[in-house]
Amino acid sequence: MTQRGPAEFTPPPECPVFEPSWEEFADPFAFINKIRPIAEKTGICKVRPPPDWQPPFACDVDRLHFTPRIQRLNELEAQTRVKLNFLDQIAKFWELQGCTLKIPHVERKILDLYQLNKLVAEEGGFDLVCRERRWTKIAMTMGFAPGKAVGSHLRAHYERVLYPYHLFQSGTNLLALDLAAKLTSFVAPPGLEECLQKASVDDVNDEDKEYKPHDLLQRQNIHIQPSDTSAPARRAKRMKTESGCVKSEGGEGCENRPNLRRRMGSFVAKPEPEQEVPIQVKQEPVEMKEINPEPEKSKSRYKKNIPPPPVSMVDLYVCLVCGNGNDEDRLLLCDGCDDSYHTFCLIPPLSDVPKGDWRCPKCLAQVISKSTCRDYSLKSFGEMADSFKSDYFNMPVHMVPTELVEKEFWRLVGTVEEDVTVEYGADIASKEFGSGFPIKGGKFKVAPHDEKYLRCGWNLNNMAMMTPSVLTHVTADICGMTLPWLYVGMCFSSFCWHIEDHWSYSINYLHWGEPKTWYGAPGFAAEQLEAVMKKLAPELFESQPDLLHQLVTIMNPNTLMAHGVPIYRTNQCAGEFVITFPRSYHSGFNQGFNFAEAVNFCTVDWMPLGRQCVDHYRLLHRYCVFSHDEMVCNMAMKADSLDVVLASAVQKDMQLMIKDERELRDKVRKMGVVRCELFEYNLLADDERQCVKCRTTCYLCALTCPCRPGFQVCLHHAHDLCSCPVSNYTLNYRFTLDDLYPMMNAVRQRAESYDEWASRVTEFMEAKLDKKRNVTVFRVLLEESDQKSFPENDLLRQLRLVTQDAEKCSSVAQQLLNGKRQTRYRTGGGNSPNQLTVEEMRSFVRQLYNLPCSLTQAPLLKELLNSIEDFQQHSEKLLSDEVSADSVSEIESLLEEGSQFDVCLPELPLLRERLEQARWLAGVQQAENLVSNPCGLSLDSMRRLIDRGVGLTPHPSTERTMARLQELLTISEELEEKAQALMKARPPESFETLSSMLTQVDGVPAYLPNCLLLQDTVNRAKGWLQEAEDLQVGGQTPVLSSLSDMVLRAYAIPVRLEPLDQLEVLVSEVQAWKESAAKTFLIKNSHFTLLEVLCPRWEVGSSLKKKMRKLKGECMSSGKKKLVKLDSMSDVERALSDSKDSASAMFTLAEVRLKELESLCALRAANESKLLPTADCASLKVCVCQKPPMGAMLQCELCRDAFHSVCVRRPSDPLDPEAWLCPLCLRSTKPSLTKIQTLLASLQRIRVHLLEGDALRYMIERTVSWQRRAREVIDFSLMSCFQRGENPCQDWGVSGQEQSVFYTEQRCIPLQGLSSEVEELMVEGLLLQVSVPETQQLYRLLLSGPPTTDTSHTEHPPYLTPKHSSPQREGDAITSAEKKAKRRMNREEAEIRDRGMKPKSKKQRMGTKKRRERKAASVSASDVSQSEDSEEDMTQCPAENCLQPEGEEVYWVQCDCCNRWFHMICVGVSAELAAEEDYMCVTCSTTNTGRRK
């Protein structure tokens, strides 16, 4: 069949992976024994240590140097090697002929010559196939398509390439037979599927590929006889040292083919051959002697028939085939042995002399390649390995997937077209370079925290020789078995299929590096694996029966699995262990550069297999690493200290050993051997006591003969010692049979203690009823087994299991009895997964009585079971009744009782459901109860109840209640939504709409917040409307604060209120009036409010006590109310707000005025006193800056304090005499009286009681009163001046500088000689926030000098009233100026009588009540006597046809001539006309007209 690419590799299943805990990891042998039942089924397993187990790397890296094995991958695979063996034989044959052969191609595919040769042989040979014309059948069998004459091509290739080789093998003369034998000795190298074709043959395909022989036999030094196999890889320390002994592996040597040169007929001197380097593989001395002399013997044998040479040296060379020296030009001279051959005498004959070197068949059979192995350090090997892998896969080494490497490895192993060579540092002795694990006394210094690894059982230096390991009884250090071996791998480096020596365990630890891929087969499949490999590659096993023990053969796991062999795999990563079990075949390869360490160990279970392995080795004639019999005897001699389990195994092994030994000695004795001799074989090295036939290490006895000193045979091969008579043989024995029996008995006694213990265990386990023992007895048996280290067998495991079960049952029973476990009812959790059901508890009780031991809790638990059954009956009765809210307590008591049982009761979930239902019904009843819940059932409560009810188990009672709640919730939500919509409606709904909505809410048994809010809104709207109605009907003047409060409250009521618009208009008019008044009075950026400006000042100094106290007493005697505390603006505002009428407000403001005058007089006196000439100017603090006076100063006319001219604003015109007020005294713009009266009139039209209005009315009345008094003083001063003939404008007084200690920049009123009445009058005029001409006139008058009060000049006091005037003075003639002044004074008196002086042309609103209030205000505000006109005169209108208007308010107008008051409606004057023009009555108008005429 044509060569095809190998099928893609399918990874076998994974082997078990174990991750022990720290407790399990503490004892490696106990852990391995624990996992053995699982792991031995797969042959290999992987163990991951705990993450914190990280031993330090202790190997001496600098000293580590090694020579690696050279491995050609395709030479390792068994089936590939069979093909290559055949192809190499063909290649050697054609190379012998001096021809270069190439690979034939058929249908553009390389022809598989091995299969072609095999099929032709199966069909009967070349001649038979040709006669019966079977070439087409062969072509179809090889996979070629029919109908293309492929059969003829196959015949031509076979005839040209293979048929001459078969002729050569059949032979036609002696030389041909000898040559055939030599060719057969070459086991061709595995790894190439190229067939060679002779260059001189016709029809050569140009595409044929040249085939290069592998010379596998010569590189491996493998010979035909089984006894001549390579030397053992492992030897005991006691064996003699042999140089160059290393473990052989396929492809160790490097190929070094000899250089063949062509020899012509003439003699040419042959240069000396190159010196050969011996291969470091142990050889038997006899084997080498059989090969080397052969050329010389052959040469001498043929040259004996040749006559002596004549003259020429050329005549000495004759053909060894025909014996003639003719045709010298056709005579070939071998470059190896100088033998001569004719080209036409060779088989097959050569047409031409071959080019290059040529060797005869004899020399060709002896060519071996020279070893060119390289020595590596660990660093250089790693660099080489990483470079190889990265170059091969063309990516960084750590990025190559393990799956890709695995598939590529098996592809390379199975192909003959690619020849990949790798190197493997295997079997490096750790004793020389140090182990990777730290050891005691080693060169590696261990850190204190790493000292635990020195004693750790998983340290491979300790594992093989630990007490549980049988190898501790082997006295020698076996490298690789009891001493670890090191392995340094690279990518593709592999270890072939093999089992460990003596079928022992092995453990491999990967210290670091890339993974190592393992394949393993279980021990029970070992013979099956061997059979499959022998079946698939019989040619290899025919010549080498122990091929699998040479570690040079590998086979694809998929192939083995296809033939039924169970194979498992794993990837061993750094820090992981891989354990192989006895007789488990395993192989694998490395993924890359890594460092591993391995060692063997044997446990007790291995003992039978160990003896079986020795018998197997005897059949294969394979050496033993150690003597199994010697190890068993060593253990038997230590019977007293031997482990009981091991003693039992040793006793069984010794029984077999003694039985075989007795039979063999009897057999030898019957043969005639009579001479016996005691011989201590344990003192000899292992290689000195091997059986000559089977190579078994002898220990108990052996046969020797004097003819062959140093040689012996085992008793199994007594006939193979020598040809001497048997009587000459000597039986050398180590122990007599009488010595062996006591040793076995000692071991038996040690093991019998276990047997006695086992019998007691069996007796107690099988006891019945009342004969059962307590569980304490079983614990004592377990403790005894632990003390005596009894074997871990089924009986002990059963005892431990029964004891554990009994203890668990006792613990569970006690727990059930104590009721310690909390249930769902208590903790809210579910049932425990380990909780027993009632049925399980019944079974558990039965189990307690069925245990091999007795428990005290069993009868108590039976009683508990009865209580549980009673609980179930009660629960079933309760669950069958109707759900009721009154059953909550009963259900809770049942649940409490059930929770005490640590048993899974099916009634408990049903009771919990019933409890939830009863609690829910009770919750509904409580929520609907008006006694406990007066507000009623809220929406949230209904929703919560419904949500809880949804989660309940359905029941008719709960369903009915749920439906009722849902219906109530739906109605309630609809009402709530409607109420909320009405509340949020924009524009708001009417009062009637909201009231109609409330009628729907009546009768709904629920707490509806929005409906209650709607009810509250309707109630508030109803109250507001009633209040608005009372305000309109009551006839009282509303107060602004109450109006604003009503408006604000109306805004907060989401109802459309009809009177609200009117109130808003009224409030807006008041606000507009206040803004207008503020613009009129307030200075820009003033910090005073309008009310503060309009009211008298309250915040200044002390008082003129006597004067003010007198005035206060008069006011209190004539006032309507008691004085209150008025110390701040808030107090004044509160007092005004509390006033019930205008009279009360006027009284309050009059009281504030008194405080103003009192405090201001005290302030003026204090300021004047500090400015006296005697004062210390440096200590004074004046002005707003509170610094001493300096330079030009300004003095306030009101507070009399001094101010720096640079700190305050100067007078606009210093020459114009005008009173200068400081910034603290100047509070407003001081508008004219006309503007103020206009503001008051507009406020009266609004008909709203305002605090600012009261203050403004009082200000007007105060201003009018002050005008009258100031007018009297001014008129009096003018008349005095006219009588004396003085100029009233002249400068009277002394300069202000004489009255002050500093220089004042402006003129000030001199206070010297000024009466207190005049000064108070001037102060009050300056306090007025109204601009009247009398203020300036009085100021100019006083600025010139104080008016005289001397009685010599006038008989009137400064303040004249008609009451005090003299009758004599009235009767005297006066001047026109005097008349004018008197008329003015009379007018003022009339104004005082009217209690409400108004400016000219100003309309008056007056009634009886108002006149009384004004009269009271005038009395309280004036400090002089008022006229006592009757109220009748005050209410009479002088008009001829008085209409006598009635009502709360009547408008009046005053004549500017006669000063009489008239009703506006009676004289026909409108309010606008009275406000804009002067009014003159009819009488005065007529009089003035007559005078004018």
Side-chain angles (χ1 to χ4, degrees), residues 49 356 703 988 1310 1478:
L703 289 176
D1478 293 341

Side-chain angles (χ1 to χ4, degrees), residues 29 231 292 368 371 412 422 462 479 579 716 973 1063 1391 1407 1454:
F29 285 94
N292 294 336
I368 58 175
S371 176
L412 294 174
V422 295
N462 304 331
C479 189
I579 300 175
H716 291 276
E973 287 178 344
L1063 294 181
E1391 292 173 358
Q1454 185 183 25

